[in-house]
Amino acid sequence: MKYILGILTLLLITSCKTSSDKDAVTYFGGQIINPKSNFILLLKDNEVIDTITLDKENRFLSKYKSLKEGLYTFKHGIEFQYIYLEPKDSILVRLNTWDFDESLVFSGKGSSKNEFLINLFLKNEKEEQKMYQYFGLNENDFSDKIENFAKEKVAIYNEFKINNEEISSGFNTLTNAAIYYPLYRLKEVYPFYHRKVKKLKNFPEVNDDFYEFRKHVNLNEEDLLSFYPYRNYITNYFYHISYKLKESDSTKNNLTVNMLNAIVDNIKIEEFKNSLLKKTVVDEFLKRETTCSINNDTYKVFLENCSNDNYKKEIQNLVNDSEYVVNHKPLENFDIKSYDDRVLSVSSVIENKKCVIYFWSSNYMNPDYLLKAINRLEKKHPNILFIGINMQSDLFNLSNSSNVKLIDYKKQFKLPEDSYARKYLTSNYPRTIMIDNFGIVTNGFTHLDSKKFNSELNKLEKK
């Protein structure tokens, strides 16, 4: 890190003569402890703008001329974090992948605003956990709690601005979004809590003032499109109004279709609309009670309104994949590779055993999380064989995990490119298949995070 700081200082001295933002040079660098790969990605609005290679000391440094001010994302492995960049910034990051967010440290010109944002994000996470204890309050008391949390964070931000005079309007917009949108989301969630806990048939009535904040919400804020708290609020808002429509109109009983229509009616930024449409369809697919699938009406509305051909193909592949492995039918045999590259048939590995086959990829799943989850499931269901198949056939990257001691290499495999199983993995989404001891599929498409996963496991165990 000292080496990078020295270079960075020299570069900054030589670039100080530049006066205009148009010609300004921005530096972004740092060091990754326990890296998951040999590069990091820098993204703007979910598009990769740079791939930065780590050196032999796991350090990196890159410079950008005429960089547009705004919110960026840097990604390493499947972990990511936000960074706010302005022309002439010179920001260094240092982090340990084993504790990605908590270990992140910024330094250099522009670091103070990013340190502030990280602390605000962490505060939001802790605050949200606290807020659930207040959901039982009446609407006025709950609103007061929300208001108090907002005032507390605004006061902290005002103090920060006093000590940092050069606050841009863009950073101000982002920070206000980081303060308010997580709180707005809690208000959208509030009636669902009361309906569930009190076992109400419909949502509880609340006064109009409870949602007064909606008047200040811009559903098409271009500078916030890649900002998770903003997108998360919008998703929850559409879910709320779509659920109320389902309750009030018997002809609108498909919640996902209601959401898709709400997105089409309200979102004017084309790519933002497309990404929300895709997310809504994928969410429905993954939340199906037993075997994952997509409702025909949902699929039709999506195809009619999504203008992104790649998203359409992705969802089409997901539909095709879900229909390829049929429940209550034998699982077609396919080839797999052991950790030491021996080609085996899956039938020889699972013969006469109740089995859960989980296909996974580090592009979609954190290896640390995966190993912990499987370890927990194996202890709970000792009579079921759990085998993992990495869809990335050219690598076996569980060994990068901080939980490497949990790996049972006899139960971990790779998938050859010519394996028959590739026919129903075209979407590349993680997929889990359950098979009884006769080789019959009991669930052709579920996933480890499914709410019904444990009940499906219990049914398999009792067969």
Side-chain angles (χ1 to χ4, degrees), residues 128 132 181-189 232-233 236:
E128 181 160 325
Y132 282 97
Y181 279 106
L183 298 175
Y184 291 166
R185 190 190 74 82
L186 292 172
K187 279 206 161 187
E188 300 292 352
V189 172
N232 197 24
Y233 168 75
N236 278 268

Side-chain angles (χ1 to χ4, degrees), residues 251-373:
T251 67
K252 308 289 185 182
N253 59 4
N254 186 316
L255 178 62
T256 306
V257 168
N258 292 347
M259 283 191 68
L260 294 176
N261 286 327
I263 291 167
V264 172
D265 291 342
N266 289 279
I267 302 300
K268 307 307 177 187
I269 302 172
E270 192 69 12
E271 190 48 37
F272 188 35
K273 179 196 75 173
N274 288 333
S275 65
L276 288 175
L277 290 173
K278 187 191 83 166
K279 181 183 184 304
T280 301
V281 173
V282 171
D283 283 351
E284 183 202 57
F285 178 86
L286 296 176
K287 288 176 182 176
R288 302 294 284 189
E289 288 199 356
T290 52
T291 298
C292 296
S293 62
I294 294 176
N295 176 279
N296 287 336
D297 291 336
T298 297
Y299 190 40
K300 181 173 181 289
V301 174
F302 169 78
L303 290 179
E304 288 174 349
N305 291 283
C306 180
S307 60
N308 185 308
D309 290 336
N310 289 330
Y311 290 170
K312 287 183 178 181
K313 184 177 180 181
E314 188 176 326
I315 297 301
Q316 177 67 66
N317 287 342
L318 202 54
V319 171
N320 294 342
D321 289 351
S322 68
E323 295 174 348
Y324 218 99
V325 178
V326 182
N327 288 353
H328 314 303
K329 298 286 186 181
L331 179 71
E332 194 82 23
N333 195 22
F334 60 88
D335 287 340
I336 53 179
K337 273 188 177 182
S338 64
Y339 179 68
D340 55 1
D341 278 337
R342 289 179 296 115
V343 177
L344 306 168
S345 69
V346 74
S347 61
S348 67
V349 175
I350 68 174
E351 187 176 11
N352 300 324
K353 300 182 183 75
K354 296 176 181 179
C355 183
V356 169
I357 302 174
Y358 55 96
F359 298 92
W360 70 282
S361 161
S362 60
N363 291 330
Y364 291 91
M365 188 171 287
N366 186 317
D368 293 333
Y369 169 80
L370 174 67
L371 287 171
K372 286 180 181 178

